[in-house]
Amino acid sequence: MIEYRNLRVALLGGGSVGAQVARLLLEQSEELANRVGASLELVGIAVRDVDAERSVDLPKELFTTDAESLILGADVVIELMGGLEPARSYILLAINSGADVVTANKALLAEHGAELFAAADQVGAQLNYEAAVAGAIPILRPLRESLAGDRVVRILGIVNGTTNYILDRMDEQGDSLEEALASATALGYAEADPTADIDGYDAAQKAAILASLAFHTTVPLASVYREGITSVTPAQIESARKAGYVVKLLAICERFTDAHGVDGVSARVYPAMVPRTHPLAAVHGANNAVFVEAEAAGSLMFYGAGAGGVETASAVLGDLVSLARRHVAGGPGVAASSHAGLPVFEIGSVTTRYAVTLEVTDEPGVLAEIASVFSNHHVSLALVEQSMTPAVPKTVSRAAVSATATLVIGTHEATEAALAATVRDLAANRFVTTIASVLRVEGA
């Protein structure tokens, strides 16, 4: 057997991902050593409770509650604890002690990524985080390395498996959101408190990471516009289906020039209608996919499992092998690129399309009145469809009508600010009894 130098690996966190990382490190130690050119010795696993039950049978002597001592004796630290603290402090301790770091902590990177990358750059350490976005899917390294010579202009991502499963059930099975969420919870896709998923917080964190990396610009989490799926109804899903679309929760990162000629970026999360001919429409269940548009490379899609202990462990170990090879070869770590320093636009500057469904009173002049509301805000209509429905009074005080008409209106591209103002005026219009649905259209 070849004799290798030894690299000491400390693991922080022994949950579903951490346990799988530890198992693979122990079971595949010889194979990993051959790939790296150095032995990877798992020297310890820092946990809160060394006696807690684990999903994987691991040597008891590896567990410790003394994370700081473990960190100070390591060449590489893998942080899989989650949360902001003490994870942030532990990563800074590792970096400042000369260790490289692998993390899957999307919340921490979205909130404190700039601080952590600056600390790593100052001492020549490496901070890798492939597992922080889309689980097993290799997306961050391709953005950072394979597309480093290209200009990424847009990313459309399904980056939360729970919401994709829910929307997929609503589309395929006709479930309500509550029924689909119950199914996701029973299968373990959704947490007991699903707020981070269904309200879009998880996807927003990943959007901040993707945008920062793709556009070489620090994009703070606070600058990511966020809407979740809690307002998506079966009626919207069915309406989208009839029109040839599917509803997906998208993380969208985009580089564009605004109306004032300023080059900048946008990061946003919201449910949107995607054409059924688009590759993202075929992403079912709890899977993730990231669709990248670059000037030279064109359109690329990365697809696979977005979560799961062993799947995410694959991405963690890929980062570990990369860091270990750098240790063997020598030299400083590769710094995070934020040289572009582009401004981050607010949602109002974004250009998109809308599909708006209205219930309106059935009387002469309604179509002209509704069209004028759109025209007043310079929003051009691409499609208007009308059907008759029973009366749906908006309020008790509104006079009853014998019938209403359903208008489905598709717009051409316009700024979000103009579209939002249009919707506000529609809500106040005397002919509109109900705004039944407002969804953006992406990928068309």
Side-chain angles (χ1 to χ4, degrees):
M1 180 178 173
I2 301 174
E3 290 293 328
Y4 291 120
R5 61 175 288 193
N6 189 57
L7 293 178
R8 295 165 59 84
V9 179
L11 177 59
L12 310 182
S16 59
V17 178
Q20 293 294 341
V21 168
R23 177 183 67 81
L24 293 171
L25 269 174
L26 295 172
E27 291 180 359
Q28 301 179 10
S29 59
E30 185 172 346
E31 186 175 352
L32 291 171
N34 290 335
R35 294 178 194 172
V36 171
S39 296
L40 301 177
E41 179 191 0
L42 180 59
V43 294
I45 307 171
V47 294
R48 285 192 295 266
D49 181 2
V50 297
D51 297 318
E53 289 189 15
R54 313 286 171 193
S55 59
V56 176
D57 186 20
L58 298 168
K60 192 80 169 180
E61 61 271 16
L62 285 175
F63 292 95
T64 179
T65 58
D66 187 357
E68 293 188 6
S69 296
L70 191 62
I71 291 168
L72 294 174
D75 298 300
V76 178
V77 174
I78 302 174
E79 184 275 309
L80 300 173
M81 304 171 66
L84 300 183
E85 288 291 354
R88 170 185 163 277
S89 296
Y90 285 160
I91 289 178
L92 289 173
L93 176 64
I95 289 170
N96 291 326
S97 70
D100 286 337
V101 174
V102 176
T103 181
N105 196 329
K106 57 186 174 292
L108 180 63
L109 291 169
E111 289 280 3
H112 299 291
E115 175 192 15
L116 299 177
F117 293 129
D121 187 35
Q122 188 172 17
V123 300
Q126 185 74 44
L127 174 59
N128 282 5
Y129 51 101
E130 183 67 64
V133 176
I137 302 173
I139 178 60
L140 301 186
R141 193 172 290 113
L143 286 174
R144 185 175 60 239
E145 299 174 11
S146 304
L147 296 173
D150 206 340
R151 173 180 280 193
V152 174
V153 294
R154 201 163 194 249
I155 295 173
L156 296 175
I158 297 172
V159 295
N160 183 273
T162 301
T163 51
N164 197 61
Y165 175 85
I166 291 170
L167 294 173
D168 195 44
R169 285 278 302 196
M170 293 175 72
D171 181 63
E172 296 285 337
Q173 306 296 326
D175 286 359
S176 67
L177 188 143
E178 291 76 17
E179 290 168 336
L181 175 58
S183 176
T185 303
L187 291 170
Y189 296 145
E191 301 289 342
D193 179 359
T195 302
D197 295 323
I198 64 174
D199 283 348
Y201 291 101
D202 175 84
Q205 292 165 352
K206 294 169 181 175
I209 294 169
L210 286 169
S212 297
L213 186 59
F215 304 133
H216 310 281
T217 292
T218 299
V219 178
L221 179 58
S223 297
V224 180
Y225 178 83
R226 174 192 55 79
E227 290 181 20
I229 66 168
T230 53
S231 63
V232 176
T233 66
Q236 289 178 314
I237 298 286
E238 180 60 22
S239 178
R241 170 182 282 279
K242 289 179 179 178
Y245 293 85
V246 61
V247 178
K248 298 289 187 181
L249 182 70
L250 297 180
I252 303 172
C253 311
E254 189 173 15
R255 178 172 179 168
F256 62 93
T257 301
D258 73 358
H260 304 289
V262 178
D263 190 24
V265 303
S266 164
R268 55 200 192 267
V269 169
Y270 46 61
M273 293 167 52
V274 177
R276 288 187 179 270
T277 55
H278 194 283
L280 288 177
V283 180
H284 298 293
N287 287 313
N288 283 193
V290 182
F291 191 82
V292 179
E293 299 171 16
E295 285 191 354
S299 298
L300 308 166
M301 191 166 93
F302 303 81
Y303 168 86
V310 69
E311 293 88 351
T312 305
S314 168
V316 172
L317 288 174
D319 276 347
L320 175 61
V321 167
S322 175
L323 293 183
R325 285 174 174 166
R326 186 190 73 79
H327 270 278
V328 172
V334 179
S337 173
S338 59
H339 67 274
L342 297 170
V344 182
F345 293 133
E346 294 186 356
I347 187 68
S349 298
V350 171
T351 299
T352 188
R353 295 165 55 200
Y354 267 123
V356 182
T357 302
L358 305 173
E359 302 290 346
V360 299
T361 58
D362 182 34
E363 54 185 293
V366 171
L367 280 176
E369 172 76 12
I370 297 303
S372 71
V373 174
F374 283 86
S375 178
N376 289 341
H377 296 287
H378 307 289
V379 178
S380 170
L381 303 186
L383 170 74
V384 179
E385 293 182 350
Q386 177 177 346
S387 62
M388 298 302 296
T389 62
V392 184
K394 186 175 182 181
T395 66
V396 174
S397 62
R398 183 185 293 267
V401 292
S402 60
T404 63
T406 298
L407 294 181
V408 179
I409 300 171
T411 75
H412 288 295
E413 287 192 345
T415 64
E416 282 270 355
L419 289 163
T422 301
V423 171
R424 285 195 299 270
D425 282 359
L426 288 171
N429 189 278
R430 67 187 181 90
F431 291 117
V432 177
T433 62
T434 306
I435 297 180
S437 172
V438 178
L439 281 174
R440 297 168 180 87
V441 180
E442 299 286 354

